[in-house]
Amino acid sequence: MPIKPLAKSVLFSAARHLGGNALWRRMSRNRPLMLCYHGVVSDDYRGDAYRSRGVIFRRVFREQLETLARFCNPISARDLLAWKQGEAELPPRPVLITFDDGYRNVLTNALPELTRLGIPALINVTTGHIGEARVLWPQELDERILGWKSKMLPLPENGSEIVLPADTVARAGVAARVRAVCKRIPNGLRGSYLERLRGDPLPCDQEWFHELYDFSTWEEVRKQHRQGFEIGSHTVSHPILTRLAPDEVDTELRRSKATIERELGAECPWIAYPNGGPADVSEEIARRAKEAGYKIGLTLIERPNTPATDPLLFHRLCVLGNLPVNVFHAKISGLYWHAKRFLDDSTDVCA
């Protein structure tokens, strides 16, 4: 095992069982913790590991919520907004649960668990996909490459091609690398590349496909809102905002906000930036979000929040499906923020 993964495994296990996490929780008691989930699937879900890496099983979600209820104080998006506006104080060790994208599996698997424990959540929806039989472009890219029938796969840049391996695991590696490239190139170029890959239908006849990718309808979003869950924007089409022209950014921000407010009859002051990493969000994007009427903006940059954090650039921790329990405990304690600087040179971004 490489030294860094081994060191992290030993450190986080020791911190959980020997009191290290308790110390860090006390040190981080005034720092709002924000967690980002994408989907929660049923315990009998049978999708493959690569496709389901971004979702967690319902039983795991239940265990994580029980851990949060034990060690933290769950807050709502309204609580966070009132705090930033100087209208209220937060409890010690506050935690905000958020979901990005708008998948139906959040309604069917996550919300019952949240309701059982009385934990609020913010659900950020991609308005152009709500009620539509469409797949977000990163997931469509995966499916196109995993199901590609030709020997040669075109690449998104320079018109080059590569030999695509037949092995599914190897293809998943190719898909991950191509997706990373597509997040760095202009939005129009990425769209043109996807058009080149479109031809054969997606595996929409598979049960796992629907559990993983189906979006809520607007009536279902309204139901979630009536149950007390706040609804935020995740843009219209899930683009990387820093890859758009300024007028395109404004359209994504303003149109998604207006759609949510029209459908719910309620204000939408929250925006979760797609992908949300350091290269995907900027002070300029935050400024445009503020001008569009948002008051809270959520990134996926894994750093601590403090009272001085820009409310349009809050940091969140991403919770992936393969997250070891010791790492989850380290993340919610605050230890993870600091340990990763010494044990991992990469920046964690949840796609």
Side-chain angles (χ1 to χ4, degrees):
M1 180 183 293
I3 184 64
K4 285 183 179 180
L6 176 60
K8 284 193 289 188
S9 177
V10 172
L11 172 63
F12 295 149
S13 177
R16 180 185 175 196
H17 297 289
L18 300 179
N21 285 333
L23 174 62
W24 279 100
R25 283 195 298 272
R26 287 194 294 272
M27 294 173 62
S28 304
R29 68 193 309 273
N30 295 321
R31 293 179 173 179
L33 171 67
M34 301 179 199
L35 302 182
C36 176
Y37 294 87
H38 286 78
V40 178
V41 293
S42 60
D43 291 336
D44 58 359
Y45 170 74
R46 293 293 180 266
D48 66 78
Y50 178 73
R51 289 181 170 98
S52 56
R53 66 198 180 282
V55 298
I56 66 174
F57 287 105
R58 182 168 176 167
R59 59 175 173 76
V60 175
F61 183 63
R62 182 186 309 120
E63 292 165 359
Q64 291 180 353
L65 289 183
E66 290 170 349
T67 298
L68 291 171
R70 177 183 177 189
F71 294 118
C72 304
N73 288 297
I75 63 172
S76 70
R78 288 282 173 194
D79 295 330
L80 180 69
L81 180 57
W83 173 66
K84 288 305 294 184
Q85 293 178 331
E87 299 170 354
E89 296 294 327
L90 292 179
R93 299 181 303 279
V95 58
L96 174 64
I97 306 296
T98 71
F99 293 88
D100 284 2
D101 299 332
Y103 290 117
R104 178 174 287 131
N105 60 44
V106 173
L107 172 65
T108 57
N109 294 311
L111 267 55
E113 300 297 337
L114 289 160
T115 301
R116 182 177 65 86
L117 292 173
I119 296 177
L122 172 65
I123 302 164
N124 305 299
V125 300
T126 310
T127 58
H129 288 257
I130 298 299
E132 300 290 331
R134 300 170 58 192
V135 180
L136 287 178
W137 72 261
Q139 284 70 48
E140 182 183 358
L141 190 62
D142 285 342
E143 294 301 330
R144 296 296 177 191
I145 294 176
L146 291 173
W148 191 250
K149 295 182 178 178
S150 299
K151 181 178 180 180
M152 304 300 295
L153 175 75
L155 296 177
E157 294 181 299
N158 306 322
S160 57
E161 296 181 324
I162 60 169
V163 176
L164 187 64
D167 178 71
T168 300
V169 174
R171 282 197 176 207
V174 172
R177 292 191 294 273
V178 171
R179 189 158 81 153
V181 170
C182 285
K183 290 180 178 180
R184 298 193 300 266
I185 62 179
N187 190 59
L189 182 58
R190 183 261 299 165
S192 298
Y193 175 64
L194 253 177
E195 283 294 336
R196 293 176 63 192
L197 300 186
R198 287 173 179 148
D200 293 326
L202 296 174
C204 300
D205 58 337
Q206 301 295 315
E207 184 176 347
W208 64 262
F209 186 95
H210 290 287
E211 181 167 7
L212 198 59
Y213 295 137
D214 279 1
F215 282 86
S216 293
T217 65
W218 277 113
E219 180 51 41
E220 289 169 335
V221 173
R222 287 190 286 270
K223 177 181 179 181
Q224 295 169 55
H225 190 249
R226 289 193 299 268
Q227 291 175 344
F229 296 98
E230 300 293 350
I231 307 299
S233 166
H234 200 41
T235 71
V236 177
S237 62
H238 202 278
I240 306 296
L241 292 173
T242 52
R243 305 296 182 266
L244 300 181
D247 61 327
E248 295 174 316
V249 172
D250 291 341
T251 296
E252 288 283 340
L253 296 175
R254 294 175 185 273
R255 184 175 296 171
S256 58
K257 186 177 192 296
T259 300
I260 291 169
E261 293 177 342
R262 182 183 68 247
E263 293 288 343
L264 301 184
E267 180 191 16
C268 175
W270 304 283
I271 172 75
Y273 308 111
N275 212 54
D280 314 316
V281 187
S282 65
E283 291 184 359
E284 173 66 12
I285 297 296
R287 183 184 67 81
R288 291 184 175 277
K290 184 175 182 179
E291 291 178 351
Y294 295 103
K295 299 173 184 176
I296 297 292
L298 305 173
T299 73
L300 275 170
I301 299 171
E302 298 205 321
R303 296 174 188 161
N305 290 304
T306 71
T309 301
D310 185 334
L312 272 303
L313 290 170
F314 272 122
H315 307 131
R316 288 185 296 169
L317 289 167
C318 191
V319 183
L320 295 173
N322 58 356
L323 190 67
V325 63
N326 288 334
V327 177
F328 180 78
H329 278 258
K331 282 197 170 193
I332 67 170
S333 75
L335 169 62
Y336 180 84
W337 309 109
H338 303 276
K340 67 173 292 213
R341 292 184 299 169
F342 302 101
L343 300 177
D344 190 340
D345 295 328
S346 66
T347 300
D348 292 283
V349 176
C350 194

